[in-house]
Structure formats: structure tokens, C-alpha cells
Amino acid sequence: MHLTTRVQDGLKEAARQPDRGDISITTVIIWVAAVAGALAIAGTIAVVIAKYNGQLNGL
């Protein structure tokens, strides 16, 4: 099957069943947890750097 045929078939299918944009609650929970974890890690790193900044300057 050629690429153009696959693209055309995909466009026909998309027109037949348009995506409603529904996001599952599981996906939302995973994203919120990932963002919260990233913020917690960044905050911890910032606190450690602020705490030991004076000692790091002497290196």
C-alpha cells in the first residue's frame, strides 16, 4: 500500500469519525501527577542549591 493511499484512507476515516477530544480521567491524573512530581523535584533541587550555595562558591 502506498503512502498516499494510506494518508487518503486516514483522512476519510477521520472525516467519518471525527475526534471529539475526549480525555480520559486516567490521562488527566497521570499528567497532574507528573507535573506535581516535576515541580517537587525542581523545588527540592532549588532548596538544596540555596542551602549549600555558600559552600559551593568556595569550590
Side-chain angles (χ1 to χ4, degrees), residues 23-33:
I23 300 176
S24 70
I25 189 67
T26 306
T27 304
V28 173
I29 291 171
I30 290 169
W31 274 104
V32 169

Side-chain angles (χ1 to χ4, degrees), residues 18-57:
D19 183 17
R20 297 182 316 200
D22 293 343
I23 300 176
S24 70
I25 189 67
T26 306
T27 304
V28 173
I29 291 171
I30 290 169
W31 274 104
V32 169
V35 170
L39 289 174
I41 291 169
T44 302
I45 291 171
V47 167
V48 170
I49 288 175
K51 182 176 180 180
Y52 294 105
N53 196 24
Q55 294 176 2
L56 291 174
N57 285 336

Side-chain angles (χ1 to χ4, degrees), residues 5-28:
T5 306
R6 288 184 58 96
V7 170
Q8 289 173 350
D9 289 346
L11 291 174
K12 287 178 189 173
E13 181 66 21
R16 191 174 71 78
Q17 285 184 326
D19 183 17
R20 297 182 316 200
D22 293 343
I23 300 176
S24 70
I25 189 67
T26 306
T27 304
V28 173

